[in-house]
Amino acid sequence: MDIVDLALRVQDIIGLILAVLIVAILISIVLILRESARERRMWEESEEEDIFSPPRKRSTKKPLSEDSAASEEPTSVAGWKGKILKELEARKAWNALSRSAGRKSEAPKEEKPPETVFQPLQEEEVSIPLEQEKLQEEKQPQIPLEEPIEKSEPPQVVLERALKKLQGLGLDIKEAQPLLDEESIVFSPLLWEVKEEIRSGKEMGNIVVHTVFKTMPGYSGEEVVEMYRSGNLSVVEKMEARIRTAEGREFLVATLGLEYFRVPVLEKTFYEGHLSEKEYELLRALKFVDRNTKKDFARIVYRKIMSEEE
């Protein structure tokens, strides 16, 4: 029974302590709410006082012309409002007066310039020696009328560089096989006339392949040929296949343009970025004028003439 009584007493003590704590917490909450309400009320009163509070005195001394009645401070809110309105009206009148006075003061006064007597300059002061004039002209920077044009590389130099690039990649321009077939060749109507003569029993004659060059303004035909012989392959335009008979007549039977001439190995190397566009064009022209290419061109033309197709 002693243990039970002790446990009951302990529970009573704990309950009493909890009750005291709850009461203390409630009291503190009430005090906090009252304090916050009091501070809020004081803050609102202070704001109202700030709005309608009288202006601070700037100086203790007053001008002699002011009335004693004006120096008295108003005791009510309405009195303070009236005083503030009067001060605002006085400031507006003073600002308008100061602006008009400022505008009048800003107006420039017309003053007559002092009369001056100009004396003629002497010749010694105006004249400049010829040597000094030359020095001044030399000092002035000369601006070029046109921008200097950069000279492009000669085609021969570009072609040599392209060949070295192919050699570095393990490629040989001579072993490159072009795509040359009847679809890339333009046949002339004279080819069917030659076919009719052959069917009638006449001899065909020889197939001659000519290299045709571009027409370049400012250059004669001989000068263009010399450019080609010196290694400038950019002047090549196309190839023509002609039939030369025993009687000395020539028939233009087929044409192969450089723009339709394709070399797969060179195209792959170009698209992979190993060759520039100019290098690729010159290498293609070099393969175009190769003797083996001309022979393949002549074989296709001969096969077309001898075929039975119309």
Side-chain angles (χ1 to χ4, degrees):
M1 290 296 292
D2 295 334
I3 295 173
V4 173
D5 293 338
L6 183 61
L8 292 173
R9 289 179 181 179
V10 170
Q11 287 181 356
D12 294 338
I13 293 169
I14 292 172
L16 182 61
I17 292 171
L18 289 175
V20 171
L21 288 174
I22 291 170
V23 171
I25 291 169
L26 291 174
I27 292 170
S28 62
I29 290 171
V30 171
L31 291 175
I32 290 170
L33 291 175
R34 289 183 64 187
E35 184 68 21
S36 62
R38 188 175 65 82
E39 289 181 356
R40 187 181 302 169
R41 186 169 58 256
M42 291 176 64
W43 177 255
E44 292 176 356
E45 291 177 358
S46 65
E47 285 184 350
E48 291 179 357
E49 289 178 359
D50 291 340
I51 294 172
F52 300 103
S53 61
R56 295 181 181 179
K57 296 181 180 179
R58 297 184 179 178
S59 61
T60 57
K61 295 182 180 180
K62 298 180 182 179
L64 297 175
S65 61
E66 291 181 352
D67 298 334
S68 60
S71 62
E72 295 179 358
E73 295 181 357
T75 57
S76 63
V77 175
W80 281 115
K81 288 183 179 180
K83 187 175 181 180
I84 291 170
L85 293 174
K86 288 180 181 179
E87 288 184 358
L88 290 175
E89 290 177 357
R91 287 181 183 177
K92 289 180 180 179
W94 176 254
N95 291 333
L97 181 60
S98 62
R99 288 177 183 174
S100 61
R103 289 175 183 173
K104 291 180 181 179
S105 63
E106 288 176 359
K109 296 181 180 180
E110 295 182 357
E111 296 181 357
K112 294 182 179 180
E115 296 181 358
T116 55
V117 180
F118 295 95
Q119 297 180 357
L121 297 175
Q122 298 179 1
E123 293 182 359
E124 294 180 358
E125 296 177 356
V126 178
S127 61
I128 300 173
L130 295 175
E131 295 180 357
Q132 190 174 355
E133 289 181 357
K134 291 180 180 179
L135 291 174
Q136 290 179 358
E137 290 178 358
E138 290 177 357
K139 289 180 181 179
Q140 293 179 356
Q142 296 180 357
I143 301 173
L145 297 177
E146 296 180 358
E147 296 181 357
I149 301 173
E150 297 181 358
K151 294 182 179 180
S152 58
E153 289 182 313
Q156 297 87 339
V157 176
V158 179
L159 182 60
E160 290 178 1
R161 184 172 63 246
L163 289 172
K164 288 181 181 179
K165 287 183 178 181
L166 287 183
Q167 187 177 1
L169 295 172
L171 301 175
D172 189 1
I173 190 66
K174 294 181 179 179
E175 296 179 358
Q177 297 295 326
L179 287 177
L180 194 59
D181 51 15
E182 294 183 2
E183 294 181 358
S184 59
I185 298 173
V186 179
F187 294 99
S188 170
L190 296 176
L191 183 137
W192 285 268
E193 185 177 346
V194 173
K195 291 179 70 171
E196 291 296 330
E197 290 186 357
I198 292 172
R199 288 176 182 177
S200 62
K202 294 182 180 180
E203 294 183 359
M204 183 182 69
N206 299 324
I207 299 176
V208 182
V209 178
H210 295 283
T211 304
V212 182
F213 306 108
K214 298 177 182 177
T215 302
M216 302 181 66
Y219 293 92
S220 62
E222 295 178 357
E223 290 175 344
V224 174
V225 172
E226 288 297 327
M227 292 169 65
Y228 169 73
R229 290 177 180 175
S230 63
N232 187 359
L233 299 177
S234 61
V235 299
V236 177
E237 183 180 8
K238 58 184 177 180
M239 285 193 299
E240 293 180 348
R242 296 175 178 269
I243 302 295
R244 184 177 297 172
T245 63
E247 294 83 7
R249 297 177 61 189
E250 284 190 358
F251 298 92
L252 176 61
V253 293
T255 303
L256 175 63
L258 178 59
E259 57 182 342
Y260 302 109
F261 184 71
R262 295 288 180 268
V263 184
V265 176
L266 295 180
E267 287 189 358
K268 180 182 177 183
T269 309
F270 170 65
Y271 287 120
E272 288 176 353
H274 300 294
L275 297 173
S276 64
E277 185 176 358
K278 193 171 183 181
E279 292 171 349
Y280 166 70
E281 294 295 338
L282 289 175
L283 286 173
R284 189 176 61 157
L286 179 63
K287 188 63 180 178
F288 184 72
V289 298
D290 187 57
R291 182 176 298 178
N292 294 328
T293 304
K294 292 181 178 180
K295 288 181 179 179
D296 293 338
F297 179 41
R299 289 193 189 97
I300 294 173
V301 173
Y302 177 78
R303 186 169 63 248
K304 185 70 175 177
I305 294 171
M306 300 306 294
S307 65
E308 298 295 332
E309 297 178 0
E310 293 293 339

